[in-house]
Amino acid sequence: MGIQATAVFFIAFCLLILHQDFVDGVIRGIGGGLAASKEKQLIKQLISNYEQQGRNGRPVADHNHNMLVNFSLSLIQIMDIDEKNQILKTNVWYHYKWVDQLLIWNPRKYDNITSIRIPSDQIWLPDILLYNFADDRLKETREALVVVQDTGEVLWMPQAMLNSSCSFDTLLFPFDEQQCELKFGSWTYNGNKLDMGFIDGQSSMDTTDYTPSNEWTIIFNSGRKNVKYYSCCPEPYPDITFTLRIRRKVAFYTFILILPCALLSLLTMVIFWVPPESPAKLQIGMNIFLAFFVLLLLLADYTPRAAASIPLIGAYFCLSMIMITVSTVMACIVANMFFRGVRTNRAPRWLRSCVIDGMARVLCMRDAFIEPRTDVTTPKKTWSTFVSTYRSFSDPETLCAKVHLLDLDNNFDSKTDLEDCGLEDLFGETSGEGQDDEWEEEAAELLSDVTSIRETMTSMQEKRDVAEAKKRHIREWRIIAVVLDRVFFLVYIFINVMGLVAIFVRVMIPEE
C-alpha cells in the first residue's frame, strides 16, 4: 500500500510540473477576481445607500440648496420631416451632468477606483423632458449606464429618437427653409430647486457625429437658455431651447416638379400655333390639363393638407390649369369663327372694325390679310374695238359683237334696232314683200336666241357674284379667327410671365 501511494503522489507531482502554465493562469484568475470584487463591493455599497435613502427627492445635502443640471445635445441624424403631421424626427444623444451627494466615495478604500458604471434605474435622474414632444410612445430614450466619478459627478448619455412638433411653412416649397425648436426643461422642478445650464458652455447642438441628410442642409444651429414665469406660479422655470434651421435640397424636386412644369408651360403655347381647323388643338389642351393635374396631386403628397398657405408652385399649377382651360375655350371660339363663315352671313361690322381694322393693325398683320386695290390703267380690248378694226361681214359672230349683243345693258326688241346695228347685211338686201317677211322671221328667231343667251349669262353672273361674296365673308371670318388667336396667345404669354414674376419676387423677398 505504501508503494502504491508513493507512485500516485509521484505521478501527480509530474503532472503539476508539466502544467505549470495552467496553474499560473488559475492563480492570475483568482487574483483578478479579487480585484473585480472591490468594484462590485463599491457598486453594491452605493446602491445600498440609495435603497436606504430612497430614489425619490433630489440627492442634495440640504433641501434648500439649488441643484444644477448641465444639459447638452448631440445631433446624429435627421431621420424624417413629416410636413403633413408637422413632426420633426431626429436621432440624438442626451448629455446630462450633475453632482449626486449619495454617490461620493473615497478611492483609497476601493483600490483607487475613481469611476464606475451603474444602471440608471437604480439612482435619481433629472426629469428633464422635451416640451414639444409629439409621439405616441411613452418613452423615447434607450437604456444606458450612468458614469459616476468619486466626486459624485454623474454623466448620463442615453440615445433617443425624438419626434418633436414643428410648424412648417411650405409657401416657398421646394425652395423653402424650415426652422424647428427643441425645448427641454424640468417637468416638475422650478428654477429654485433645479437649475439648468450648458455643458462646457456649448450653446448649440454638437454635430461632430452628424450624418448628413440627403434632403436637408443645416444652415443654422444654436441653443439658448430661457427663464419663464407662468401665471400660476411665482417661481422661475428655466428651459434650454435648441433652434435648428434647415434648407431643402431642390435637386430631386427639379426633375419631378419644376422641369415638367416648365416644359408643360412651353407646350401650352403650341395650342395657339396649331391651325384652327385642326382637331388636335383641343386634344393637346386637354392632355396638358391632365398632366398639370397629376403634378398637383404629386405636390399634395409633400405638403400638409390643412396648411395656412398653399405652395407658390401649387398656385402656379392652378394658374396654368386655369390658363389652359381658358386657352381651350378660346381655341373653341377661334375654331367656331374659322368655320362660321360657311354657315352664316358676313361678320358684324363692329367686329370687323375692331379686329381687322384695329387689332390686326396693332399687331402688324393687316397688310398680310388685306389685298391692295389696283386700278386698271390699260383699257381692255372689247369686241366692238376688235370688230371696228377688223370688219368682216361674212362672220355672223363678228357682226353680233359689233352691235354688243353680249352687252347685258342693251335690249333688242325691234327690227329698227337691228337695222341700226347693221345686221341687215347678214340677211342680204331686201327686194320684195316675201323677202321682208322671211327677213322678219329670221330676225325674230335671232332676237329670241340673243335674249336666251343674255338671260343665261345674267343667271351665271348672279351665281358668280353670290359665290364671290360668300368666299369674301368666309375669308373675313377666318381673318378674324387668326387675329383673335394671336391676341389670345399674347394674353396668355402676358399672364404667364406676370405669374412667374410674382412667384420669383415672393421667393427672393420673403415676408419679414
Side-chain angles (χ1 to χ4, degrees):
M1 294 295 295
I3 296 174
Q4 293 177 354
T6 304
V8 171
F9 177 79
F10 179 77
I11 293 172
F13 180 76
C14 293
L15 292 174
L16 289 174
I17 293 175
L18 292 175
H19 297 82
Q20 184 65 36
D21 294 336
F22 173 78
V23 174
D24 293 339
V26 172
I27 294 175
R28 286 194 300 270
I30 295 174
L34 293 175
S37 65
K38 287 293 185 180
E39 183 178 2
K40 289 181 177 292
Q41 290 176 7
L42 175 59
I43 294 174
K44 184 177 180 180
Q45 181 64 37
L46 294 176
I47 294 177
S48 177
N49 293 340
Y50 247 100
E51 291 178 352
Q52 294 177 4
Q53 298 292 332
R55 292 178 56 197
N56 298 325
R58 297 172 301 139
V60 292
D62 188 352
H63 70 280
N64 292 323
H65 291 172
N66 191 353
M67 186 174 184
L68 176 63
V69 177
N70 291 320
F71 178 78
S72 184
L73 206 63
S74 292
L75 180 63
I76 305 302
Q77 187 179 7
I78 298 177
M79 303 296 295
D80 185 26
I81 291 183
D82 190 355
E83 290 94 345
K84 297 180 182 178
N85 300 316
Q86 306 283 285
I87 293 176
L88 170 66
K89 186 176 182 179
T90 54
N91 180 12
V92 299
W93 292 350
Y94 285 129
H95 295 260
Y96 297 93
K97 270 189 179 182
W98 71 92
V99 177
D100 193 328
Q101 297 295 331
L102 300 179
L103 299 178
I104 299 177
W105 73 90
N106 188 356
R108 290 185 231 173
K109 295 182 180 181
Y110 299 95
D111 293 341
N112 294 323
I113 297 176
T114 59
S115 176
I116 58 174
R117 278 78 177 164
I118 60 178
S120 59
D121 58 351
Q122 300 292 327
I123 64 173
W124 177 88
L125 297 175
D127 61 341
I128 297 177
L129 301 175
L130 178 64
Y131 279 8
N132 53 335
F133 183 69
D135 199 345
D136 54 359
R137 298 172 299 169
L138 298 178
K139 192 175 183 181
E140 73 275 6
T141 59
R142 298 178 62 184
E143 296 295 336
L145 296 176
V146 176
V147 181
V148 184
Q149 304 294 331
D150 60 331
T151 58
E153 184 180 78
V154 181
L155 175 63
W156 185 37
M157 297 177 58
Q159 185 186 19
M161 303 290 291
L162 297 180
N163 289 349
S164 57
S165 60
C166 180
S167 178
F168 295 103
D169 185 9
T170 57
L171 179 65
L172 304 180
F173 177 89
F175 304 96
D176 55 335
E177 295 181 2
Q178 306 295 341
Q179 179 171 313
C180 296
E181 293 184 349
L182 288 81
K183 185 177 180 180
F184 297 89
S186 176
W187 197 255
T188 58
Y189 290 106
N190 57 54
N192 297 329
K193 299 294 183 179
L194 191 148
D195 196 8
M196 297 183 64
F198 291 100
I199 296 179
D200 300 330
Q202 183 179 0
S203 60
S204 62
M205 285 188 286
D206 184 15
T207 57
T208 304
D209 299 317
Y210 173 71
T211 301
S213 173
N214 293 329
E215 186 178 359
W216 298 92
T217 302
I218 299 177
I219 59 176
F220 182 73
N221 171 27
S222 69
R224 67 182 185 277
K225 178 182 177 181
N226 303 314
V227 178
K228 190 172 183 179
Y229 292 86
Y230 295 94
S231 59
C232 64
C233 311
E235 298 85 2
Y237 284 86
D239 66 78
I240 290 180
T241 302
F242 294 96
T243 302
L244 191 66
R245 186 180 299 169
I246 52 180
R247 177 182 297 155
R248 193 189 304 268
K249 297 179 181 179
V250 299
F252 173 73
Y253 300 98
T254 300
F255 291 99
I256 67 171
L257 289 178
I258 300 175
L259 183 60
C261 176
L263 295 179
L264 287 175
S265 298
L266 294 177
L267 190 60
T268 307
M269 302 179 186
V270 178
I271 299 176
F272 298 96
W273 294 98
V274 177
E277 67 274 12
S278 175
K281 196 176 184 72
L282 301 181
Q283 297 176 1
I284 294 175
M286 296 306 299
N287 292 334
I288 296 175
F289 181 88
L290 293 176
F292 269 111
F293 186 72
V294 171
L295 289 179
L296 195 60
L297 292 179
L298 184 63
L299 177 65
D301 293 336
Y302 296 97
T303 54
R305 296 291 188 271
S309 59
I310 64 173
L312 292 179
I313 189 172
Y316 181 73
F317 287 166
C318 294
L319 176 63
S320 298
M321 294 172 66
I322 294 173
M323 293 300 300
I324 291 172
T325 304
V326 174
S327 64
T328 305
V329 174
M330 293 177 179
C332 294
I333 296 174
V334 170
N336 186 26
M337 288 185 175
F338 187 85
F339 294 102
R340 189 172 183 178
V342 181
R343 304 188 302 271
T344 63
N345 297 325
R346 189 176 186 183
R349 183 175 181 180
W350 64 268
L351 186 60
R352 287 184 281 115
S353 300
C354 180
V355 177
I356 299 178
D357 296 335
M359 296 181 182
R361 191 184 301 276
V362 173
L363 298 176
C364 301
M365 300 172 62
R366 190 174 185 276
D367 295 338
F369 297 139
I370 305 301
E371 297 179 355
R373 296 180 179 179
T374 57
D375 296 332
V376 180
T377 56
T378 304
K380 295 182 179 180
K381 180 177 288 187
T382 61
W383 280 100
S384 59
T385 57
F386 178 81
V387 172
S388 62
T389 307
Y390 305 96
R391 185 180 180 90
S392 177
F393 294 101
S394 63
D395 188 0
E397 183 181 359
T398 303
L399 295 176
C400 293
K402 179 182 177 182
V403 296
H404 307 287
L405 292 178
L406 299 182
D407 191 350
L408 298 180
D409 294 334
N410 295 333
N411 295 321
F412 303 95
D413 54 1
S414 65
K415 176 183 176 181
T416 306
D417 295 332
L418 293 176
E419 292 177 351
D420 293 340
C421 294
L423 286 178
E424 68 278 3
D425 295 337
L426 179 62
F427 306 103
E429 297 294 335
T430 60
S431 59
E433 294 181 358
Q435 293 180 351
D436 290 342
D437 294 337
E438 184 180 352
W439 186 91
E440 288 180 356
E441 291 177 359
E442 292 178 357
E445 184 178 354
L446 178 61
L447 287 175
S448 177
D449 293 339
V450 170
T451 302
S452 176
I453 293 174
R454 184 189 59 179
E455 291 176 354
T456 302
M457 295 186 65
T458 301
S459 177
M460 294 178 61
Q461 183 66 31
E462 290 176 354
K463 291 180 180 180
R464 186 166 53 251
D465 293 341
V466 171
E468 290 179 354
K470 189 174 182 179
K471 290 181 180 179
R472 188 165 56 252
H473 298 165
I474 292 175
R475 177 175 173 80
E476 287 180 352
W477 280 109
R478 293 184 176 180
I479 292 173
I480 293 173
V482 173
V483 174
L484 288 180
D485 198 26
R486 184 63 57 85
V487 172
F488 293 156
F489 173 72
L490 295 178
V491 171
Y492 174 81
I493 294 293
F494 176 77
I495 295 178
N496 203 4
V497 171
M498 292 302 296
L500 289 176
V501 169
I503 291 175
F504 279 109
V505 169
R506 181 63 183 83
V507 170
M508 299 301 295
I509 308 177
E511 295 181 356
E512 297 294 339

